[in-house]
Amino acid sequence: MLSALGLALALALLIVLTMRGWNLFVATPLCALLVALTSGIALLPPLALEGAPNLVGAYMGGFTGFVTNWFFMFLLGSIFGKLMEDSGAADAIAAAVMRHLGPSHAALAVVLACAILTYGGVSLFVVAFSVYPAALALFRAADLPRRFIPAALAFGSVTFTMTSAGSPEIQNWIPIPYLGTTPWAAWEASLVTALFMAVVGQLWLGWMLKRAKARGERFESREGDPGELRTDLPPLWAAFLPTLVVLGVSFALHDRFGVSALIVALLSGCAAVGLLCLRTLRQPGKAIGEGSTGALIAIGNTAAVVGFGAVAKLSPAFGVAVEAITHMPGSGVATAAIAVSLIAAMTGSASGGQAIALPIIAPIFLAQGVNPDQLHRSVAISSGVLDSLPHNGYVVTTIRAICGETHKDAYLPVGALTVIVPGLGLLLCLGLFALGL
């Protein structure tokens, strides 16, 4: 009972502190401490029994594990984005979009850019780094409130592309070994669901932007922003090609190297910017330095949340909750979706929700004769519903470290597009399964 109360309070406190702008290097250890104190977890290694976990070891294990796995992707992704900005490539892309689509479609252009990169195999975090400079230029040229940039980036990255059939993102691949399926599992229902999420989400984003402008909100420049659209821009083909290089190399090497393909892809992209936009690079050394610093802040914020999740998983209440959630009565497909979504909410991770739930629920439901393709798709889509609560690592990184916004200003549109829209999509998908699609 005490453990359950402590875990619930710690999760609630983390969300509140995140929304209030607390530094995550302070908020996450504080909330982890609450979990440890109410769950009987030793605070320091010398206080733990032999082989037993402790707060410091568990927190730092989760923290350093994430850094180990993702440091070079964050670093190179941030540098790539800064080089695109410094070379004028981001401004060239923004200018082309404004000419062809007009100011009213600036947000749509950002969403499409993220969707193409995400479905092409580029990591979600890297997509945000890479697209942000162009997004900033587009929103500035269209005079749109910049607090909606995180929502546009997140909507294009973690909704209708991340969990769709054929997506190379890990959220679509984790179920495969457990269910014996393919990345294209239940593609018919997935296609309808993805189109529904894309259309509804884009209409909602456009409505929110229109209301904000009607209230008098405009783009507000800040110290450190790049200036107005430059005149010394690289040719449009040279501006686009580095992003296509990242996309192409990532796609070509994904099956062989997995996420490590991103290291090669991003290195290739950085080299392509240097070669193709050499004449318009202004201060490449400064861009690389700023990109490196930004990467450290971004990965640190995310790793801090992962560290808290590592401690939360050790609490007895977490194990009891997982057992109860994964053995709920009802339809196998719907029950699996609810289980994964709730665990993803507790861990703040879509992939974490799947990795914890699938080893338990997959054998149970497969033995009951549940369609594995339907199970795969429901699990994939549901993992992207409640994972995007305020304490989610991607959300924190995108809002704070990449876009420089606050949760108070930026999270509401992010939550609308990454929690409610995928939730509606999940209901539609389950309905399609019930109709036999």
Side-chain angles (χ1 to χ4, degrees):
M1 179 63 183
L2 183 60
S3 176
L5 180 62
L7 180 60
L9 288 176
L11 284 169
L13 180 62
L14 180 57
I15 292 173
V16 170
L17 295 180
T18 302
M19 291 295 295
R20 293 178 68 86
W22 273 52
N23 187 307
L24 289 175
F25 294 119
V26 176
T28 54
L30 180 64
C31 295
L33 175 62
L34 178 57
V35 173
L37 291 174
T38 55
S39 299
I41 300 172
L43 302 185
L44 301 171
L47 301 178
L49 298 175
E50 185 176 354
N54 64 86
L55 169 63
V56 173
Y59 181 90
M60 291 310 301
F63 188 104
T64 58
F66 186 85
V67 173
T68 299
N69 291 330
W70 290 98
F71 174 73
F72 283 107
M73 289 75 159
F74 272 67
L75 176 66
L76 294 171
S78 182
I79 291 174
F80 175 72
K82 280 295 181 180
L83 288 175
M84 289 286 286
E85 178 185 300
D86 185 71
S87 66
D91 282 346
I93 295 171
V97 171
M98 296 303 293
R99 285 197 305 270
H100 291 90
L101 296 181
S104 61
H105 294 94
L108 174 61
V110 175
V111 172
L112 290 177
C114 291
I116 291 169
L117 288 173
T118 303
Y119 206 79
V122 180
S123 168
L124 308 172
F125 290 99
V126 174
V127 169
F129 278 119
S130 302
V131 177
Y132 174 68
L136 187 67
L138 284 166
F139 271 60
R140 179 178 62 227
D143 195 26
L144 296 175
R146 63 190 296 160
R147 70 184 182 90
F148 287 91
I149 293 179
L153 294 174
F155 175 57
S157 301
V158 303
T159 57
F160 60 92
T161 53
M162 181 181 79
T163 60
S164 296
S167 173
E169 300 296 333
I170 60 173
Q171 289 78 8
N172 185 45
W173 285 69
I174 290 176
I176 294 175
Y178 298 102
L179 303 174
T181 50
T182 73
W184 296 96
W187 68 267
E188 301 94 336
S190 176
L191 177 60
V192 174
T193 302
L195 289 174
F196 169 82
M197 287 195 285
V199 172
V200 171
Q202 186 58 42
L203 290 174
W204 197 350
L205 176 59
W207 178 78
M208 288 189 290
L209 284 167
K210 184 176 180 180
R211 285 196 64 194
K213 292 201 72 172
R215 291 193 300 266
E217 292 189 52
R218 298 290 184 269
F219 184 90
E220 296 181 0
S221 297
R222 297 173 184 166
E223 185 178 354
D225 281 350
E228 295 298 318
L229 286 175
R230 294 162 44 173
T231 55
D232 59 329
L233 300 177
L236 184 59
W237 64 268
F240 266 115
L241 197 54
T243 299
L244 296 179
V245 167
V246 174
L247 185 62
V249 173
S250 174
F251 186 81
L253 300 181
H254 184 274
D255 288 344
R256 183 176 180 184
F257 295 110
V259 294
S260 296
L262 274 177
I263 297 177
V264 181
L266 290 166
L267 275 173
S268 302
C270 291
V273 176
L275 292 173
L276 298 172
C277 306
L278 181 62
R279 293 185 178 181
T280 55
L281 279 169
R282 290 179 172 178
Q283 295 179 297
K286 181 180 178 181
I288 292 172
E290 290 179 349
S292 302
T293 302
L296 289 175
I297 296 172
I299 198 169
N301 281 330
T302 309
V305 176
V306 174
F308 166 79
V311 176
K313 291 177 186 178
L314 296 176
S315 68
F318 186 87
V320 172
V322 169
E323 179 70 15
I325 290 169
T326 52
H327 289 81
M328 291 184 296
S331 164
V333 175
T335 300
I338 296 171
V340 170
S341 190
L342 290 176
I343 296 173
M346 289 192 293
T347 59
S349 167
S351 56
Q354 291 190 36
I356 292 171
L358 277 170
I360 302 171
I361 63 177
I364 297 173
F365 293 133
L366 290 179
Q368 294 175 0
V370 176
N371 185 304
D373 285 345
Q374 293 183 358
L375 196 58
H376 177 135
R377 192 54 49 208
S378 67
V379 163
I381 295 175
S382 66
S383 71
V385 176
L386 294 180
D387 69 312
S388 298
L389 295 177
H391 65 294
N392 171 266
Y394 170 85
V395 171
V396 170
T397 296
T398 302
I399 290 178
R400 293 192 183 187
I402 297 176
C403 299
E405 302 293 332
T406 65
H407 271 64
K408 180 181 178 181
D409 292 333
Y411 181 74
L412 185 60
V414 169
L417 297 179
T418 64
V419 176
I420 298 177
V421 171
L424 295 174
L426 175 62
L427 292 176
L428 172 62
C429 188
L430 293 176
L432 293 173
F433 289 155
L435 294 174
L437 183 61

